[in-house]
Amino acid sequence: MAEETLAKRANVSLADDSAAQEEDAASTEETAGKRILAQLVSEEGEPCGAPLDLPAEITSKQLQLLTNSLLDDEDDDVPFSFYVNEAEITKTLVEVVEEQNLTSEEVVTIVYQPQAVFKVRAISQCTGTIPGHTDNIVDVAFSPNGRQLATGSGDKTVRFWDIHTMTPERTCKGHKHWVQCVAWSPDGNYVASGASDNQVRVWRADTGQPACKPLLGHKKYITWIAWEPLHCSPDKVSTRFVSASKDGTARVWDLIQGRMMMSFTSHTKGISCVKWGGAGFIYTASQDTTIKVWRVSDGALCRTLNGHAHWVNSLSLSTDSAIRSGPFNEHGVIVGDMVQTSQAKYAKVRGKEERLVSASEDNTLYLWTPETSKKPVTRMTGHQRQVNFVQFSPDGRLIASCSFDKSAKLWNGVTGTFMGTFRGHVGPVFRCTWAGDSRLLITASEDSTIKLWNVKTQALLKDLPGHAGSVFAVDWAPNGTLVASGGADKTLKLWRS
């Protein structure tokens, strides 16, 4: 009896398989001769040739060959990703068209996005735990070429580290209180540091010696420092930067003259973050809930961006990565003229205009086009607690936000559309850092871990424990070779693949 039942089940299973195969065959036959009228367009909306009559079964790889051919690109290996109404074509065009319920009568718009030609390898292990600081490590920053590393600490020092021998290289003393932030000049020659002693200091990267006298003027501690983009510098070298302070002011300093050039004073509460954009504007975010846009040429206040209901904690520009790495390519090498290379890199990522994203204590983010408008592109909601850090991907197409709700979230960098959540931390997420190819993300948390994520799937690739306390700072070298992290355990950790 049992054998008879099993035989019946097997026959039913075979019949089901046969029916499924016939259905797949019918579906394939149905789409085999089907054509779709499509228009390839760039991210900026510029059409790539005339509309094309494409086979429905065309794949993403075939679209890539077609796009390279239409663009007449000398490098036929430029990778592209393709989207229809923000849905990526991963297999065939017809699958996405059917998912979108589009009719064959309309022209389907396919947006192509060039991807990074190089690929950053995922980090997998800690290759160095380096003692040296005697208090919390508050900030870590790789140089624009990825070959040097600087840290700021509660022990009042800035330290340079040898990333090859994994030992302390130079200790810069002078600050009288906690160092809150460190920032490299785009040409890699200097590091500026701001501290709770209200002072800004600049150090030579090659010697660790002061590059000028202490810069005095702020009445409260320094919260953020941003250098002028190299392509904007009238001297064609990095000489100017802006510092933000809890005293509600932002000040532009000239390194060569060793003095303040201008001061921005319209905020009514402390400034938490400042960015120096590549189009001649400086952006300040404040605890007075506003973001202000300042014109560098004359120091004038251009516009105030309103929307947040609480402190604004963090800002990021779509061009941050291009400005940071300046003239250096993905291998940390300067090719051609420094200023021209910096300008070309900036223009490529910028597109039509620079975008700005802000993160706030009100649990929200706002996306802006601040050069031309004081109205937000969109309001981005989803976090359950305050958002303390936000960062655009190096290609400017994605945004990652970190929150006290123990999660990081992924957003479309052009529209602000929510794309996914990175869940896994069991404490507030303090910081994040992107791989240079925008395919990987690392988050740092109070739970003493850093975690590596696949951006496309939001899947956890690697849990990286090791710190003995909160991880306050993390940075991925622009050349993709190393990740550095630091926190409450006073040790610097280096991670590589």
Side-chain angles (χ1 to χ4, degrees), residues 138-336:
V138 182
D139 202 6
V140 301
F142 279 100
S143 60
N145 63 6
R147 296 174 187 168
Q148 290 177 279
L149 178 66
T151 57
S153 167
D155 64 10
K156 310 173 191 176
T157 67
V158 172
R159 286 177 181 258
F160 290 90
W161 307 83
D162 188 319
I163 61 175
H164 302 294
T165 62
M166 299 191 183
T167 54
E169 194 169 44
R170 288 180 287 276
T171 302
C172 307
K173 297 181 179 179
H175 283 296
K176 300 178 179 64
H177 213 295
W178 278 47
V179 177
Q180 297 285 353
C181 53
V182 293
W184 284 85
S185 61
D187 60 10
N189 291 328
Y190 305 102
V191 170
S193 59
S196 294
D197 59 7
N198 310 342
Q199 294 183 8
V200 178
R201 292 174 178 261
V202 185
W203 314 90
R204 293 188 61 89
D206 55 351
T207 64
Q209 295 299 309
C212 63
K213 62 184 180 182
L215 303 173
L216 310 176
H218 283 297
K219 302 294 188 255
K220 292 185 179 179
Y221 68 82
I222 315 303
T223 55
W224 208 274
I225 291 172
W227 284 83
E228 178 180 32
L230 188 60
H231 71 269
C232 296
S233 171
D235 302 314
K236 298 189 177 181
V237 290
S238 298
T239 60
R240 297 195 299 177
F241 61 91
V242 58
S243 60
S245 169
K246 186 71 166 57
D247 65 10
T249 69
R251 297 169 185 258
V252 175
W253 308 89
D254 187 285
L255 171 65
I256 305 302
Q257 298 183 38
R259 66 182 183 89
M260 185 183 74
M261 304 303 293
M262 63 183 79
S263 179
F264 309 130
T265 59
S266 290
H267 283 293
T268 57
K269 290 184 180 178
I271 298 176
S272 51
C273 188
V274 62
K275 293 288 180 179
W276 195 320
F281 297 98
I282 287 174
Y283 309 98
T284 53
S286 170
Q287 291 179 340
D288 66 10
T289 76
T290 70
I291 300 154
K292 294 187 184 293
V293 183
W294 312 85
R295 190 165 50 241
V296 176
S297 58
D298 57 5
L301 174 62
C302 297
R303 59 189 63 86
T304 298
L305 311 181
N306 293 292
H308 285 295
H310 210 310
W311 300 349
V312 185
N313 292 325
S314 179
L315 296 175
S316 182
L317 287 166
S318 56
T319 53
D320 270 348
S321 181
I323 290 170
R324 171 195 180 179
S325 55
F328 298 95
N329 65 12
E330 66 271 16
H331 305 297
V333 177
I334 298 174
V335 180

Side-chain angles (χ1 to χ4, degrees), residues 344-356:
K345 185 194 292 187
Y346 169 79
K348 184 178 179 181
V349 177
R350 169 191 164 89
K352 284 186 176 178
E353 62 183 325
E354 215 164 37
R355 282 161 280 122
L356 178 77

Side-chain angles (χ1 to χ4, degrees), residues 18 27 35 62 79 127 159 174 176 453 465 483:
S18 178
S27 175
R35 314 286 293 185
Q62 291 168 330
T127 55
R159 286 177 181 258
K176 300 178 179 64
W453 308 88
V483 170

Side-chain angles (χ1 to χ4, degrees), residues 410-460:
L410 184 70
W411 315 82
N412 184 298
V414 177
T415 64
T417 305
F418 171 72
M419 296 178 67
T421 300
F422 304 99
R423 294 192 189 280
H425 285 294
V426 293
V429 183
F430 293 139
R431 285 287 178 99
C432 65
T433 182
W434 290 86
D437 61 2
S438 303
R439 294 182 177 103
L440 301 169
L441 181 75
I442 283 179
T443 51
S445 168
E446 184 185 71
D447 66 12
S448 78
T449 71
I450 66 172
K451 296 184 189 296
L452 175 68
W453 308 88
N454 180 309
V455 172
K456 197 167 194 174
T457 63
Q458 290 94 62
L460 177 63

